[in-house]
Amino acid sequence: MHLPKITLIGVVLPPSSILMAMPAKNEDEVVRKAPLFSALDDASAASLRASMNGIKISKGQILFKEGDPGDKLFVVVEGKLKLGTSSGDGRENLLSILGPGDMFGELSLFDPGPRTATATAVVDSKLLALANDQVIGWVTAHPHVSLQLLKRLSQRLRRANDVLSDLVFADVPGRVAKAIIELGERFGTKKDDGLHVNHELTQEELAQLVGASRETVNKALADFASRGWVKLEPRAVIILDYERLVKRGR
């Protein structure tokens, strides 16, 4: 079996060297957004980060597969990853797109077992990883961190409920509009001509994200473009009429 080429930065450099090698200020700000870090003071956060392994993964490579042992949690420092599941007949479904500051893999901390999704790099990405036993040690030493982790799990449950509700009650164009708005809120850059959303997803991946066929999603996007709400670009979209798109996604 071909294994993905994943570079463990920590194998090459000691933790202190890793911190020095990275653009500290910007990346520190990103990492501090993760629930594991947000409840810590600066000294504790720096100590925790120094104990984590840095990982570089290339576009299209798999970090872990559905069914693999869940022995680590991860924080995205740079890039984007997608979490998805697949059925026995090969159909795929995207659960979420992760970007800088997002944490994932923490479910195994509270419910040890195999991974429930496959994590794949959408673009070249950089992560921090921490083994579960180390996390438990940090939670024990810093009880307030557990509240942040529980908040994160609650947000995931709320998100899962929203997705289920959308699949039952919302039509495909509504789900597409909502997905574009959510991607824009997380990855968009405001410019003079609109909100530029470089989601980096293929048409098929966007369809998997909203739980519809590629043809139906493309039809919805073409309709939005014809109305002047968006401008379509390869693996990106420019939101021209934010309010109309928000209204369509409700």
Side-chain angles (χ1 to χ4, degrees), residues 52-111:
M52 301 178 76
N53 283 325
I55 295 175
K56 287 183 177 179
I57 181 170
S58 300
K59 176 181 177 180
Q61 292 184 326
I62 294 174
L63 179 65
F64 57 74
K65 291 184 178 181
E66 186 176 356
D68 285 351
D71 57 353
K72 295 182 182 66
L73 66 74
F74 302 89
V75 175
V76 183
V77 178
E78 182 180 303
K80 294 187 184 74
L81 287 91
K82 60 179 181 178
L83 293 181
T85 60
S86 58
S87 64
D89 60 5
R91 288 177 298 169
E92 296 183 3
N93 176 51
L94 283 190
L95 303 176
S96 61
I97 305 299
L98 305 169
D102 285 332
M103 184 178 75
F104 63 103
E106 74 279 9
L107 187 61
S108 59
L109 291 175
F110 303 97
D111 183 23

Side-chain angles (χ1 to χ4, degrees), residues 93-189:
N93 176 51
L94 283 190
L95 303 176
S96 61
I97 305 299
L98 305 169
D102 285 332
M103 184 178 75
F104 63 103
E106 74 279 9
L107 187 61
S108 59
L109 291 175
F110 303 97
D111 183 23
R115 298 290 189 189
T116 58
T118 297
T120 309
V122 177
V123 296
D124 293 349
S125 302
K126 185 187 296 183
L127 316 169
L128 292 176
L130 190 66
N132 287 357
D133 57 348
Q134 292 177 285
V135 179
I136 296 300
W138 271 93
V139 171
T140 302
H142 305 82
H144 47 290
V145 172
S146 62
L147 296 177
Q148 294 298 320
L149 294 177
L150 288 173
K151 180 180 179 180
R152 164 63 177 164
L153 291 176
S154 298
Q155 290 171 341
R156 285 185 57 177
L157 179 59
R158 187 186 300 274
R159 168 63 180 165
N161 288 339
D162 287 343
V163 170
L164 180 60
S165 178
D166 286 342
L167 288 174
V168 174
F169 298 112
D171 59 5
V172 172
R175 300 205 301 268
V176 173
K178 187 173 182 178
I180 293 174
I181 289 296
E182 290 177 349
L183 290 169
E185 290 174 347
R186 300 183 61 218
F187 305 116
T189 302

